[in-house]
Amino acid sequence: MFHNKSFKTTSFSRLSIFLFVAIFCAITLHTIPSYAAVPEKKVAHHTEKIREGKSFSKIYTLSTKKAGILEVRIHATGIGSSLKITLCGSSSKYNLKNKNIPVKELKADNKGKIYGQIKIDHIVMADSYKVIIQNKGAVKKDGTLKTDIIFTPAKIEEKTYQDLNNNDTPSDAKDFNITNHKVHRRILSGFDEQCDYADYDKFYIDKDTYLSLRLKTLSNKRKEKYRVRLVRYWDNAVLTEIDNPKHKQITKLLHLTPGYYFLQISSSDGHLFKDNQIIYSLYMAKTVNISSLAMSKQNLSLYNLQGYNQKALVSKCNGKSVSKYDVAFRSSNPSVAAVSQSGKVTAKASGKATITCYAIDKPSVKATCKVTVKKPGLKVSVASRKMLFIGNSTRCSLKRSPKKLKVTWKSSHPSVATVNAKGKVTGKSVGKAKIYAISKEGIKSNACTIIVRRKPKPKPKKLGDTTTEPDNKDDRTDKIAPVLSLSSAHLSPKGTITVTANVSGGTFSARGAISIKTKFGKSCVIRATAARGSGTILYQVNGKSASKSIVIY
């Protein structure tokens, strides 16, 4: 930050010099918006003991490697006399022999304390600067003088006075690299120690090409008028002129033939106000004539949820992959969907937005993508019944938004009803339980209430009664009249015969001189248990019965 990390202290009365070890500490990030300063600053602290009845002068010297803003803060106690603070540099127009250097007198309050600061109100170049502190009148009593010297570097390319003035005429123009995609930050200054009214850049075109020229005013406190001209070197023809650029970036796309060119950036009338600086950004690079733009998606759905809230849009220029230096992205509603300059879209809130990709040097050429940001959610529903008997099961269905959400199923009362990883609910005991799903991101679905009851006992049936009431009145809609079929109604002694039903899930039974040998599903194998006689095979399902009589001979 400083060229020499030692601060020299000199007494004018005794002409002695001694060194103090500087103490540097990083403090709160700070930016000077009007000068586009680097968001950091360094502070050097110094403390001196002042004796009653003595006069004194102190000099603190610092050397900077960068251009920036210099500020000194004073806090004195017990001195009682006024202090004169002077800031000067080694430049011939900014030293003690010049009347333009900043000087300030700080007076003591009624308690003998002094608070105040002095600040150079513009960017100064890298130099060796002196902070001179002198008392006016004798010190009234012993006291302490605390001095903070603050230097905030500015983000500009000119660092020294030589840098500032070495290209202010066409003959001194420096070569500009038009193959390097870089934004340059520069300064024009009307302050006496700088007097920089123009910048010139020279470059060479080896073959027909397009040149991208972009300029933006970063700071112009006095709203000074200045202009930009692109001039053909061999005949001084002005190819383009930008008069009085504003804070919004101005772009030009120029077709150039081989040869030398130079760019002139200067104040409109050849000088600047004495107390004004203009900071601007400049970009010049070879490019292509963009005729078409396309994006990888024209419609995009996102969710305001981590992991589902971002998507990168890929652009193509003239059918080929686009350079990040040639296009820019803009969102019509950044509070819903923001977009970075690389094309990454980030969902912010539910709603709709349009992302536009446009050619920086030819804004009329553009492509758009409509973005919809949805609110994530889960919705549970029961596939069949919400009432279960103990031991019975039903399945819950889940609508996910987004569809790839991974969820865990939960039951509010697992002792009443359990639910597995696939949403299958099984009744365990009498009661009520709420079934819901929750994602790993913390999204919780609605709850579906499951009622679990005991299965009622069937009523005893009279012999020969083929019609019975259903155990559960709610099951009446499921009653189906069963039908039995067999190949023959006769059965030889100890022989077997198969009886088939038209439905499954019922109960087979037999009476008389026959018995059931095997039964399953829709069929039942019976056999004769007597040499002669008869029997009846019965089938019951959902409270309805069917029967077949069989003769044994």
Side-chain angles (χ1 to χ4, degrees):
M1 185 61 64
F2 298 121
H3 180 66
N4 187 345
K5 292 187 177 181
S6 295
F7 288 81
K8 300 176 184 178
T9 306
T10 305
S11 172
F12 281 175
S13 60
R14 302 178 66 177
L15 300 177
S16 61
I17 301 176
F18 55 93
L19 298 176
F20 288 85
V21 178
I23 302 174
F24 295 93
C25 64
I27 65 173
T28 308
L29 293 178
H30 178 67
T31 304
I32 302 175
S34 61
Y35 293 110
V38 176
E40 66 176 17
K41 61 183 177 182
K42 297 292 182 179
V43 180
H45 304 281
H46 199 83
T47 302
E48 296 284 350
K49 295 293 183 181
I50 307 301
R51 299 303 177 187
E52 180 182 355
K54 302 290 185 179
S55 61
F56 66 92
S57 294
K58 302 293 179 182
I59 297 179
Y60 303 119
T61 303
L62 67 92
S63 295
T64 69
K65 292 183 179 180
K66 296 183 178 181
I69 303 295
L70 185 61
E71 178 184 2
V72 178
R73 296 177 184 174
I74 301 295
H75 177 201
T77 57
I79 295 178
S81 60
S82 299
L83 294 178
K84 178 183 177 182
I85 315 298
T86 306
L87 293 178
C88 63
S90 64
S91 168
S92 61
K93 292 185 178 180
Y94 210 63
N95 57 27
L96 291 172
K97 298 178 181 179
N98 197 291
K99 295 181 180 180
N100 297 310
I101 62 173
V103 179
K104 190 171 186 179
E105 182 177 339
L106 302 177
K107 295 183 178 181
D109 61 17
N110 54 9
K111 294 183 180 180
K113 296 181 179 180
I114 299 176
Y115 294 93
Q117 67 176 5
I118 183 170
K119 179 179 180 180
I120 299 179
D121 61 353
H122 62 280
I123 294 175
V124 294
M125 297 297 106
D127 198 357
S128 180
Y129 292 94
K130 288 182 173 62
V131 179
I132 305 171
I133 305 175
Q134 299 170 291
N135 70 310
K136 299 186 70 176
V139 176
K140 294 182 179 180
K141 61 178 181 178
D142 292 350
T144 302
L145 171 64
K146 293 182 179 180
T147 305
D148 290 337
I149 304 175
I150 304 167
F151 180 78
T152 306
K155 196 174 182 181
I156 59 172
E157 292 187 7
E158 287 89 354
K159 299 176 182 179
T160 67
Y161 289 100
Q162 183 178 358
D163 292 333
L164 195 66
N165 295 286
N166 66 358
N167 66 329
D168 55 1
T169 63
S171 59
D172 294 330
K174 60 184 179 182
D175 290 330
F176 193 98
N177 185 355
I178 59 172
T179 63
N180 183 13
H181 297 277
K182 181 181 177 182
V183 176
H184 300 267
R185 289 172 175 259
R186 296 183 182 162
I187 189 171
L188 299 177
S189 180
F191 286 91
D192 285 347
E193 83 276 16
Q194 295 167 356
C195 296
D196 180 54
Y197 306 141
D199 288 330
Y200 285 85
D201 295 283
K202 181 177 63 177
F203 60 92
Y204 177 73
I205 299 295
D206 56 353
K207 59 182 179 181
D208 280 17
T209 189
Y210 282 88
L211 182 74
S212 169
L213 170 61
R214 303 169 194 169
L215 194 93
K216 183 177 181 180
T217 301
L218 302 177
S219 174
N220 187 358
K221 295 179 69 174
R222 289 297 192 94
K223 297 182 179 180
E224 181 86 15
K225 291 185 178 181
Y226 72 111
R227 66 188 176 192
V228 180
R229 286 179 173 176
L230 183 65
V231 181
R232 195 162 52 205
Y233 197 79
W234 61 89
D235 61 357
N236 287 325
V238 178
L239 303 183
T240 189
E241 181 172 327
I242 303 171
D243 190 31
N244 197 25
K246 304 298 182 183
H247 290 276
K248 185 177 179 180
Q249 180 171 270
I250 296 175
T251 63
K252 295 283 186 177
L253 185 63
L254 305 165
H255 179 252
L256 301 181
T257 56
Y260 280 98
Y261 299 82
F262 67 86
L263 187 75
Q264 174 195 14
I265 302 174
S266 62
S267 60
S268 298
D269 57 359
H271 72 279
L272 294 175
F273 283 122
K274 179 179 178 180
D275 55 351
N276 190 42
Q277 287 177 329
I278 297 173
I279 300 174
Y280 65 90
S281 66
L282 170 67
Y283 173 95
M284 279 196 300
K286 286 184 178 181
T287 187
V288 295
N289 182 24
I290 297 177
S291 58
S292 67
L293 274 177
M295 277 197 286
S296 54
K297 289 185 177 294
Q298 293 181 333
N299 294 280
L300 182 62
S301 292
L302 295 174
Y303 293 87
N304 188 19
L305 179 66
Q306 189 69 28
Y308 302 89
N309 62 339
Q310 288 187 332
K311 187 71 175 180
L313 294 175
V314 179
S315 300
K316 285 193 174 183
C317 163
N318 299 346
K320 298 180 180 179
S321 296
V322 69
S323 166
K324 66 180 180 180
Y325 305 106
D326 295 324
V327 299
F329 292 85
R330 181 176 59 241
S331 172
S332 65
N333 196 346
S335 61
V336 170
V339 63
S340 70
Q341 286 310 302
S342 62
K344 180 182 286 187
V345 182
T346 302
K348 298 294 184 180
S350 300
K352 294 184 178 182
T354 299
I355 304 299
T356 302
C357 174
Y358 62 94
I360 296 176
D361 303 313
K362 211 172 184 181
S364 60
V365 180
K366 55 189 175 182
T368 59
C369 173
K370 294 182 179 180
V371 179
T372 302
V373 179
K374 302 176 182 178
K375 185 178 180 180
L378 298 170
K379 186 177 181 181
V380 170
S381 58
V382 178
S384 55
R385 294 177 295 175
K386 293 185 179 181
M387 193 281 290
L388 293 176
F389 290 130
I390 296 173
N392 288 359
S393 298
T394 188
R395 189 175 295 279
C396 291
S397 61
L398 179 65
K399 185 177 180 181
R400 311 168 196 233
S401 183
K403 293 182 179 180
K404 293 184 179 180
L405 281 179
K406 294 182 179 180
V407 302
T408 301
W409 287 92
K410 299 285 185 181
S411 171
S412 62
H413 293 90
S415 61
V416 174
T418 60
V419 59
N420 68 9
K422 294 183 178 180
K424 182 180 179 181
V425 183
T426 303
K428 294 295 182 180
S429 64
V430 175
K432 294 182 180 180
K434 292 183 178 181
I435 306 300
Y436 62 94
I438 187 169
S439 73
K440 66 178 183 179
E441 295 84 6
I443 300 173
K444 189 175 179 180
S445 73
N446 62 302
C448 184
T449 301
I450 300 294
I451 301 172
V452 181
R453 296 176 180 172
R454 285 190 179 90
K455 189 173 183 179
K457 295 180 180 180
K459 294 180 180 179
K461 301 175 184 177
K462 294 180 181 179
L463 189 63
D465 187 4
T466 59
T467 59
T468 59
E469 286 296 319
D471 294 335
N472 188 346
K473 294 182 178 180
D474 293 334
D475 292 337
R476 289 178 176 175
T477 57
D478 296 331
K479 290 181 179 180
I480 301 174
V483 177
L484 296 181
S485 62
L486 42 74
S487 57
S488 173
H490 298 83
L491 190 61
S492 60
K494 297 185 180 181
T496 61
I497 194 170
T498 300
V499 180
T500 303
N502 68 322
V503 291
S504 62
T507 302
F508 284 99
S509 63
R511 66 184 180 208
I514 61 173
S515 66
I516 296 174
K517 185 178 181 182
T518 57
K519 61 179 179 178
F520 58 90
K522 296 182 180 182
S523 64
C524 174
V525 179
I526 63 172
R527 65 180 178 181
T529 58
R532 290 180 179 272
S534 64
T536 303
I537 186 75
L538 302 174
Y539 183 74
Q540 294 183 355
V541 60
N542 291 340
K544 286 197 172 186
S545 301
S547 63
K548 285 288 183 179
S549 297
I550 298 172
V551 178
I552 303 171
Y553 61 94

Short mmCIF file of all heavy atoms in Angstrom, two decimals, residues 12 67 69 81 109 111 117 123 136 139 179-180 192 200 225 235 260 264 279 340 355 388 445 464 498 537:
data_model
loop_
_atom_site.label_atom_id
_atom_site.label_comp_id
_atom_site.label_asym_id
_atom_site.label_seq_id
_atom_site.Cartn_x
_atom_site.Cartn_y
_atom_site.Cartn_z
N PHE A 12 10.83 21.09 13.53
CA PHE A 12 11.42 22.24 12.84
C PHE A 12 12.40 22.98 13.75
O PHE A 12 13.40 23.54 13.29
CB PHE A 12 10.31 23.18 12.40
CG PHE A 12 9.61 22.73 11.15
CD1 PHE A 12 8.52 23.41 10.67
CD2 PHE A 12 10.08 21.64 10.43
CE1 PHE A 12 7.88 22.99 9.52
CE2 PHE A 12 9.46 21.23 9.29
CZ PHE A 12 8.35 21.90 8.83
N ALA A 67 -2.36 5.76 -7.25
CA ALA A 67 -3.14 6.99 -7.12
C ALA A 67 -4.29 6.73 -6.18
O ALA A 67 -4.79 5.61 -6.06
CB ALA A 67 -3.66 7.41 -8.50
N ILE A 69 -6.94 8.66 -2.70
CA ILE A 69 -7.44 9.75 -1.88
C ILE A 69 -6.68 9.75 -0.56
O ILE A 69 -6.51 8.71 0.07
CB ILE A 69 -8.95 9.59 -1.61
CG1 ILE A 69 -9.72 9.52 -2.93
CG2 ILE A 69 -9.47 10.74 -0.75
CD1 ILE A 69 -9.67 10.77 -3.75
N SER A 81 -4.29 25.19 22.17
CA SER A 81 -4.00 26.11 21.07
C SER A 81 -4.49 25.52 19.76
O SER A 81 -4.73 24.32 19.65
CB SER A 81 -2.50 26.38 20.99
OG SER A 81 -1.80 25.18 20.76
N ASP A 109 -11.76 23.48 21.36
CA ASP A 109 -13.03 23.83 21.97
C ASP A 109 -12.78 24.37 23.38
O ASP A 109 -11.63 24.55 23.81
CB ASP A 109 -13.98 22.63 21.98
CG ASP A 109 -13.43 21.45 22.77
OD1 ASP A 109 -12.49 21.63 23.57
OD2 ASP A 109 -13.94 20.32 22.58
N LYS A 111 -12.86 23.06 26.12
CA LYS A 111 -12.18 22.12 26.99
C LYS A 111 -10.73 21.85 26.53
O LYS A 111 -10.05 20.98 27.05
CB LYS A 111 -12.94 20.80 27.05
CG LYS A 111 -14.30 20.92 27.72
CD LYS A 111 -14.98 19.56 27.81
CE LYS A 111 -16.34 19.68 28.48
NZ LYS A 111 -17.02 18.35 28.58
N GLN A 117 -10.46 17.15 10.50
CA GLN A 117 -9.80 16.39 9.44
C GLN A 117 -9.50 17.30 8.26
O GLN A 117 -10.10 18.36 8.10
CB GLN A 117 -10.68 15.22 8.99
CG GLN A 117 -11.96 15.64 8.28
CD GLN A 117 -12.76 14.47 7.76
OE1 GLN A 117 -12.42 13.32 8.00
NE2 GLN A 117 -13.84 14.74 7.05
N ILE A 123 -8.48 12.78 -6.64
CA ILE A 123 -7.48 11.71 -6.74
C ILE A 123 -6.11 12.33 -6.98
O ILE A 123 -5.93 13.15 -7.88
CB ILE A 123 -7.83 10.73 -7.88
CG1 ILE A 123 -9.13 10.00 -7.54
CG2 ILE A 123 -6.70 9.74 -8.11
CD1 ILE A 123 -9.62 9.11 -8.65
N LYS A 136 -0.41 26.89 16.73
CA LYS A 136 -0.45 28.35 16.64
C LYS A 136 -0.62 28.88 18.06
O LYS A 136 -1.69 28.82 18.64
CB LYS A 136 -1.60 28.81 15.74
CG LYS A 136 -1.47 28.31 14.29
CD LYS A 136 -2.55 28.90 13.41
CE LYS A 136 -2.31 30.39 13.21
NZ LYS A 136 -3.28 30.99 12.27
N VAL A 139 1.48 25.94 23.78
CA VAL A 139 0.63 24.90 24.34
C VAL A 139 0.30 25.28 25.79
O VAL A 139 1.18 25.60 26.58
CB VAL A 139 1.36 23.54 24.29
CG1 VAL A 139 0.51 22.47 24.97
CG2 VAL A 139 1.67 23.16 22.85
N THR A 179 -6.52 -6.63 -29.37
CA THR A 179 -6.85 -8.06 -29.24
C THR A 179 -7.09 -8.45 -27.79
O THR A 179 -7.50 -9.55 -27.50
CB THR A 179 -5.70 -8.93 -29.82
OG1 THR A 179 -4.52 -8.70 -29.05
CG2 THR A 179 -5.45 -8.59 -31.27
N ASN A 180 -6.82 -7.52 -26.90
CA ASN A 180 -6.99 -7.78 -25.47
C ASN A 180 -8.35 -7.25 -25.02
O ASN A 180 -8.61 -6.06 -25.06
CB ASN A 180 -5.87 -7.11 -24.68
CG ASN A 180 -5.97 -7.41 -23.20
OD1 ASN A 180 -6.70 -8.28 -22.78
ND2 ASN A 180 -5.20 -6.67 -22.42
N ASP A 192 -4.34 21.64 -10.74
CA ASP A 192 -3.10 22.29 -11.15
C ASP A 192 -1.91 21.35 -11.23
O ASP A 192 -1.07 21.47 -12.13
CB ASP A 192 -2.77 23.44 -10.18
CG ASP A 192 -3.69 24.65 -10.41
OD1 ASP A 192 -4.36 24.66 -11.45
OD2 ASP A 192 -3.69 25.55 -9.58
N TYR A 200 -4.56 9.93 -25.77
CA TYR A 200 -4.51 9.42 -27.14
C TYR A 200 -4.07 7.97 -27.13
O TYR A 200 -3.17 7.57 -26.37
CB TYR A 200 -3.52 10.24 -27.98
CG TYR A 200 -4.03 11.61 -28.37
CD1 TYR A 200 -3.89 12.68 -27.50
CD2 TYR A 200 -4.63 11.81 -29.60
CE1 TYR A 200 -4.35 13.94 -27.85
CE2 TYR A 200 -5.10 13.08 -29.97
CZ TYR A 200 -4.95 14.13 -29.08
OH TYR A 200 -5.42 15.38 -29.43
N LYS A 225 -17.94 18.99 -20.23
CA LYS A 225 -18.12 18.41 -21.56
C LYS A 225 -16.79 17.90 -22.10
O LYS A 225 -15.77 18.58 -22.01
CB LYS A 225 -18.70 19.45 -22.52
CG LYS A 225 -20.14 19.82 -22.20
CD LYS A 225 -20.70 20.77 -23.25
CE LYS A 225 -22.17 21.10 -22.95
NZ LYS A 225 -22.73 22.01 -23.97
N ASP A 235 -4.85 10.33 -43.03
CA ASP A 235 -5.49 11.50 -43.61
C ASP A 235 -6.28 12.33 -42.58
O ASP A 235 -7.00 13.27 -42.97
CB ASP A 235 -6.41 11.11 -44.78
CG ASP A 235 -7.53 10.18 -44.34
OD1 ASP A 235 -7.56 9.81 -43.14
OD2 ASP A 235 -8.37 9.81 -45.19
N TYR A 260 -3.21 2.48 -39.76
CA TYR A 260 -3.09 3.01 -38.40
C TYR A 260 -4.27 3.94 -38.09
O TYR A 260 -4.75 4.68 -38.95
CB TYR A 260 -1.79 3.79 -38.25
CG TYR A 260 -0.59 2.92 -38.01
CD1 TYR A 260 0.26 2.57 -39.06
CD2 TYR A 260 -0.30 2.43 -36.73
CE1 TYR A 260 1.37 1.76 -38.85
CE2 TYR A 260 0.81 1.62 -36.51
CZ TYR A 260 1.64 1.29 -37.57
OH TYR A 260 2.72 0.49 -37.35
N GLN A 264 -8.84 9.76 -29.75
CA GLN A 264 -8.61 10.96 -28.96
C GLN A 264 -9.76 11.14 -27.97
O GLN A 264 -10.93 11.18 -28.35
CB GLN A 264 -8.52 12.20 -29.86
CG GLN A 264 -8.43 13.51 -29.07
CD GLN A 264 -8.70 14.73 -29.94
OE1 GLN A 264 -9.20 14.60 -31.05
NE2 GLN A 264 -8.38 15.89 -29.43
N ILE A 279 -13.46 10.70 -14.79
CA ILE A 279 -13.00 9.31 -14.83
C ILE A 279 -13.91 8.57 -15.80
O ILE A 279 -15.14 8.67 -15.71
CB ILE A 279 -13.04 8.67 -13.44
CG1 ILE A 279 -12.14 9.44 -12.48
CG2 ILE A 279 -12.60 7.22 -13.50
CD1 ILE A 279 -12.22 8.96 -11.06
N SER A 340 -27.05 -13.28 -14.66
CA SER A 340 -25.68 -12.80 -14.64
C SER A 340 -25.22 -12.50 -16.05
O SER A 340 -25.89 -12.85 -17.04
CB SER A 340 -24.76 -13.85 -14.00
OG SER A 340 -24.63 -14.97 -14.86
N ILE A 355 -35.96 -12.85 -20.06
CA ILE A 355 -34.51 -12.65 -20.15
C ILE A 355 -34.17 -12.30 -21.60
O ILE A 355 -34.55 -13.03 -22.52
CB ILE A 355 -33.74 -13.90 -19.72
CG1 ILE A 355 -34.15 -14.32 -18.31
CG2 ILE A 355 -32.25 -13.65 -19.81
CD1 ILE A 355 -33.89 -13.28 -17.25
N LEU A 388 -60.09 -47.33 7.25
CA LEU A 388 -59.48 -48.67 7.17
C LEU A 388 -59.90 -49.49 8.37
O LEU A 388 -60.13 -48.96 9.47
CB LEU A 388 -57.95 -48.57 7.15
CG LEU A 388 -57.28 -47.93 5.95
CD1 LEU A 388 -55.78 -47.85 6.21
CD2 LEU A 388 -57.55 -48.73 4.69
N SER A 445 -46.17 -31.35 2.86
CA SER A 445 -47.42 -31.46 2.12
C SER A 445 -48.61 -31.21 3.04
O SER A 445 -48.47 -31.04 4.25
CB SER A 445 -47.54 -32.86 1.51
OG SER A 445 -47.82 -33.80 2.54
N GLY A 464 -79.10 -73.05 5.26
CA GLY A 464 -79.87 -72.91 4.02
C GLY A 464 -80.15 -71.48 3.64
O GLY A 464 -80.74 -71.23 2.59
N THR A 498 -64.67 -80.73 -10.08
CA THR A 498 -64.26 -79.33 -9.85
C THR A 498 -65.43 -78.39 -10.04
O THR A 498 -66.13 -78.46 -11.06
CB THR A 498 -63.12 -78.92 -10.79
OG1 THR A 498 -62.01 -79.78 -10.57
CG2 THR A 498 -62.70 -77.47 -10.54
N ILE A 537 -72.75 -78.08 -2.56
CA ILE A 537 -71.56 -77.20 -2.45
C ILE A 537 -72.06 -75.76 -2.40
O ILE A 537 -72.93 -75.35 -3.17
CB ILE A 537 -70.57 -77.42 -3.62
CG1 ILE A 537 -69.31 -76.61 -3.39
CG2 ILE A 537 -71.19 -77.08 -4.96
CD1 ILE A 537 -68.45 -77.22 -2.33
#
